[in-house]
Amino acid sequence: MYALKGNLIWTEEPGCFRVLENGYLLIKDDRIAAVSAEPFAGVMTEDFGSRLIIPGLYDLHLHAPQYMFAGLFMDDELLVWLDKHTFPLEARFSDIDFAAKAYKAFVDDLKYSFTVRASVFGTIHKDSTLLLMSLLEEAGLHGYVGKVSMDRNSPDSLRETTADAIEDELEFLDKVSEYRNVKPIVTPRFIPSCSDGLLCALGSISKEHDLPVQTHLDENPGEIEWVKELMPDSKSYAEAYERFGLLDTKSIMAHCVWITEEEMDILQSHGSYIAHSPSSNMNLSSGIAPVRRFLERGMNIGLATDTAGGSSLSMLRMITDAIASSKLRWRLVDDSLAPLRFSEAFYLASKGGGSFFGNAGSFEEGYAADILVLDDASSEMTVLSPELSLPEKLEFYAYRAPDRRPFAKYVAGKRIV
Ligand code: GUN
Ligand code: FE
């Protein structure tokens, strides 16, 4: 048992910050045991002074192999970007030495980011993906990693036969039991990359092994048109996934930029998650997801970098990009959907996405002890600092210092930074 002292700030629901200046956070094992204005007698306490103490942030969707080219090739939109750049570069992860180099760089940076848990795509390569899992585990990070499944519409170098894809997935699942904190997730890339037979098998595997699922949904108009051609009997893209048993409370659908109300009904009936990826949606010219509508409907939603659609691993940047893109949508597309407020976007990045990993992303009793300590005493922010409220300090930090390292980072009660 130990305690942390500092300026505590968190959200328990969208739109409302909780704050405790010079407060105390009690941690027992891997959980938050209590929040208090008074010190905990007889408990070893680390004093972080005036620094901000916030819950960990959760990246609901990113591609580990793509980190090495995050910030390159932003001139094309999704389908061209995949064919021209992403598929050929992911094919290189068949070489385990290459994968080791690329994944080490990724995990080193993720460790010092604001992300405590993430849901990550690997590549189709089983051994490289297992290596990625060991590196994440060693770094003290938690989350899910998927061996990507693809059996059509990609180059020979990044495609498996349907039978191999199924067999490899099962072999992959056999080998992941040694990891404690990094768990497998069934990962059909998206409908254009997966035959009906493969989607059907992956739906069964997720049910039989009680595993979560991650994939892409309604990201780009060209992609959606293609899915209509590939799935002529489905009413919609979401319904196609539903038909194969891939929608559940433990499913993450990345993007949902062009999702219809009927598809939202489908996702909501299963309690599936939306991974809102504002930076990626701008970089790949995908569009602007109706996040306010998701919130109005009470859907499960979190934020995501979608690296390398997004060029940054910073979840603070995702917060400010989600706000900025919602403002453009409100001004240019639909003024009935109000822009996100800072407190709402912060909620999405913390408890919103955190709930996919259990009770996480808040300082409520029994929640995972995922904690970030931010140094707000940086030079550019000191002039006004003494006059600011804690939410204002946090907003200032998110906009001005999104690429800084956290001063301290705890995942499930264990300090890793
Ligand atoms: N859809 C299918 N694959 C991908 C990918 O790697 N990135 C993004 N943004 N969308 C995809
Ligand atoms: Fe993606």
Side-chain angles (χ1 to χ4, degrees):
M1 196 139 75
Y2 61 94
L4 307 181
K5 176 172 187 277
N7 283 323
L8 307 179
I9 171 163
W10 72 102
T11 49
E12 297 184 5
E13 60 209 56
C16 180
F17 275 117
R18 304 286 180 124
V19 297
L20 193 55
E21 282 190 41
N22 299 311
Y24 295 83
L25 199 53
L26 182 68
I27 290 108
K28 186 161 183 259
D29 303 322
D30 58 349
R31 302 272 138 194
I32 305 285
V35 174
S36 170
E38 303 300 326
F40 296 101
V43 176
M44 194 192 65
T45 301
E46 176 136 16
D47 188 349
F48 285 109
S50 68
R51 294 185 176 95
L52 298 175
I53 301 184
I54 65 171
L57 304 181
Y58 303 85
D59 191 341
L60 275 196
H61 175 79
L62 77 167
H63 299 260
Q66 297 175 17
Y67 183 60
M68 64 181 184
F69 64 88
L72 285 173
F73 317 129
M74 296 300 197
D75 287 344
D76 294 305
E77 64 175 299
L78 179 69
L79 297 177
V80 175
W81 177 81
L82 288 173
D83 272 342
K84 228 161 84 178
H85 309 291
T86 308
F87 289 163
L89 285 165
E90 284 194 16
R92 295 178 64 182
F93 284 73
S94 62
D95 173 352
I96 194 85
D97 296 328
F98 182 82
K101 210 190 288 178
Y103 283 152
K104 183 177 182 309
F106 166 71
V107 174
D108 283 351
D109 285 356
L110 193 68
K111 177 174 174 173
Y112 291 98
S113 75
F114 303 104
T115 298
V116 290
R117 300 175 198 241
S119 191
V120 183
F121 278 53
T123 59
I124 63 168
H125 313 98
K126 182 174 70 220
D127 293 337
S128 303
T129 305
L130 289 165
L131 174 68
L132 169 63
M133 292 178 84
S134 2
L135 292 171
L136 288 165
E137 180 99 10
E138 259 170 51
L141 295 161
H142 288 222
Y144 295 100
V145 173
K147 182 206 111 43
V148 177
S149 297
M150 306 170 69
D151 70 344
R152 66 175 176 185
N153 295 318
S154 52
D156 291 349
S157 56
L158 195 71
R159 185 165 21 86
E160 306 167 288
T161 64
T162 310
D164 284 350
I166 297 167
E167 193 178 314
D168 268 23
E169 176 68 12
L170 292 172
E171 276 181 31
F172 169 73
L173 294 176
D174 265 350
K175 293 198 174 144
V176 295
S177 53
E178 65 184 272
Y179 306 118
R180 272 194 324 131
N181 304 320
V182 181
K183 300 289 181 192
I185 180 165
V186 173
T187 306
R189 183 170 207 124
F190 67 158
I191 283 177
S193 301
C194 301
S195 67
D196 290 13
L198 181 54
L199 291 169
C200 186
L202 293 173
S204 306
I205 288 172
S206 84
K207 293 274 173 305
E208 277 159 28
H209 295 247
D210 193 21
L211 291 173
V213 174
Q214 60 181 355
T215 188
H216 296 90
L217 175 63
D218 289 327
E219 179 175 3
N220 167 290
E223 168 213 19
I224 296 166
E225 278 311 305
W226 195 12
V227 170
K228 275 194 193 133
E229 287 165 28
L230 293 166
M231 294 278 172
D233 300 332
S234 289
K235 286 201 207 82
S236 65
Y237 199 162
E239 200 242 1
Y241 283 134
E242 183 184 44
R243 203 189 267 202
F244 293 111
L246 293 162
L247 290 181
D248 203 336
T249 46
K250 290 292 275 178
S251 302
I252 298 174
M253 297 292 122
H255 305 297
C256 300
V257 173
W258 299 96
I259 189 168
T260 62
E261 288 286 329
E262 291 73 26
E263 289 178 292
M264 290 183 217
D265 289 341
I266 294 175
L267 258 56
Q268 206 162 7
S269 72
H270 295 281
S272 303
Y273 278 71
I274 294 173
H276 175 46
S277 316
S279 304
S280 168
N281 296 158
M282 291 189 273
N283 285 330
L284 297 177
S285 310
S286 301
I288 314 171
V291 188
R292 167 67 60 198
R293 185 71 193 119
F294 303 152
L295 278 173
E296 283 174 353
R297 293 183 61 126
M299 297 179 81
N300 285 326
I301 164 172
L303 298 187
T305 59
D306 187 36
T307 303
S311 62
S312 164
L313 290 179
S314 169
M315 289 303 294
L316 290 178
R317 195 181 284 279
M318 293 313 110
I319 289 173
T320 58
D321 276 0
I323 295 167
S325 67
S326 74
K327 288 175 177 169
L328 286 178
R329 196 178 196 287
W330 172 74
R331 178 62 74 194
L332 299 173
V333 183
D334 180 358
D335 66 7
S336 75
L337 295 178
L340 290 184
R341 303 179 65 79
F342 180 65
S343 51
E344 293 171 316
F346 183 80
Y347 171 88
L348 294 179
S350 53
K351 191 175 172 181
S355 64
F356 187 77
F357 303 90
N359 283 339
S362 178
F363 289 157
E364 292 158 70
E365 189 188 336
Y367 271 59
D370 294 347
I371 301 157
L372 298 168
V373 181
L374 310 181
D375 211 344
D376 75 324
S378 54
S379 54
E380 75 268 35
M381 293 188 283
T382 45
V383 180
L384 276 184
S385 225
E387 301 167 28
L388 300 180
S389 67
L390 295 187
E392 286 168 339
K393 284 186 179 178
L394 181 57
E395 181 182 19
F396 212 8
Y397 190 98
Y399 278 94
R400 294 287 285 272
D403 298 315
R404 202 168 289 166
R405 288 180 169 195
F407 185 80
K409 175 170 174 176
Y410 297 78
V411 187
K414 193 163 164 265
R415 185 166 181 174
I416 68 166
V417 172

